[in-house]
């Protein structure tokens, strides 16, 4: 698995590591390893997990659709979930997508369902071998957002 920057808080490194492991488990169809990663991620502060996952999903969507995201593009992502080798709760997929785009309501799905859905979306959108790069970029964006002073 990847080595994460030493300046990241330990919680951020743990979230990135479990995200990496969860996506790998999902791609391999390893439901047990996926469940282990989801359990580890759910034990973290869900706001932090959600922040990294949302930032990653948003960046992946923006990269895949630089001219803007249409309803058909979102439908394509939802349809691609049928190719994921483990069950993924589709209502949670919709919540994660809308939340990442900033148009979602508070989640009605459980944290574990949202984490599983986020991992599935990331697995579908991130080309193999690029996840660590996307997680690092998402974390850099979060760092910038959190260090910018408000006027």
């Amino acid at each position: 698995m990847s080595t994460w920057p030493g300046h990241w808080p330990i919680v951020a490194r743990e979230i990135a590591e479990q995200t990496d492991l969860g996506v790998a488990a999902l791609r391999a169809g390893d439901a047990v390893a996926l469940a282990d990663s989801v359990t580890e991620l759910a034990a973290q502060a869900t706001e932090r997990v959600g922040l990294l996952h949302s930032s990653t999903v948003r960046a992946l969507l923006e990269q895949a659709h630089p001219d803007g995201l249409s309803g058909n593009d979102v439908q394509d992502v939802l349809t691609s979930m049928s190719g994921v080798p483990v069950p993924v709760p589709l209502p949670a997929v919709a919540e994660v997508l809308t939340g990442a785009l900033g148009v979602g309501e508070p989640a009605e799905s459980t944290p574990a369902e949202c984490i599983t859905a986020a991992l599935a979306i990331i697995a579908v959108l991130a080309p193999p071998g690029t996840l660590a790069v996307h997680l690092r970029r998402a974390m850099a964006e979060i760092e910038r957002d959190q260090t910018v002073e408000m006027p």
Side-chain angles (χ1 to χ4, degrees):
M1 297 279 95
S2 296
T3 302
W4 306 106
H7 73 277
W8 285 9
I10 194 160
V11 171
R13 290 189 302 243
E14 290 171 0
I15 292 169
E17 183 65 20
Q18 287 304 319
T19 298
D20 196 12
L21 291 170
V23 168
L26 201 140
R27 287 179 171 160
D30 187 342
V32 173
L34 175 62
D36 289 345
S37 288
V38 169
T39 298
E40 289 293 324
L41 287 164
Q44 299 289 343
T46 54
E47 304 84 33
R48 291 180 182 183
V49 173
L51 184 59
L52 181 58
H53 288 173
S54 291
S55 294
T56 304
V57 167
R58 184 174 41 259
L60 287 166
L61 288 169
E62 289 171 353
Q63 179 180 338
H65 307 282
D67 294 330
L69 193 64
S70 71
N72 288 336
D73 296 329
V74 173
Q75 182 64 37
D76 290 344
V77 173
L78 291 170
T79 302
S80 67
M81 292 296 105
S82 65
V84 175
V86 297
V88 178
L90 287 180
V93 170
E95 289 177 22
V96 169
L97 284 172
T98 58
L101 297 171
V103 295
E105 295 296 319
E108 293 183 17
S109 299
T110 67
E113 290 171 331
C114 288
I115 291 167
T116 302
L119 294 175
I121 294 167
I122 292 167
V124 166
L125 294 176
T130 66
L131 180 57
V133 170
H134 291 292
L135 290 173
R136 283 185 177 94
R137 286 182 186 156
M139 185 61 72
E141 185 65 28
I142 292 167
E143 288 175 326
R144 273 191 297 276
D145 288 347
Q146 291 180 350
T147 57
V148 172
E149 288 187 34
M150 298 302 290

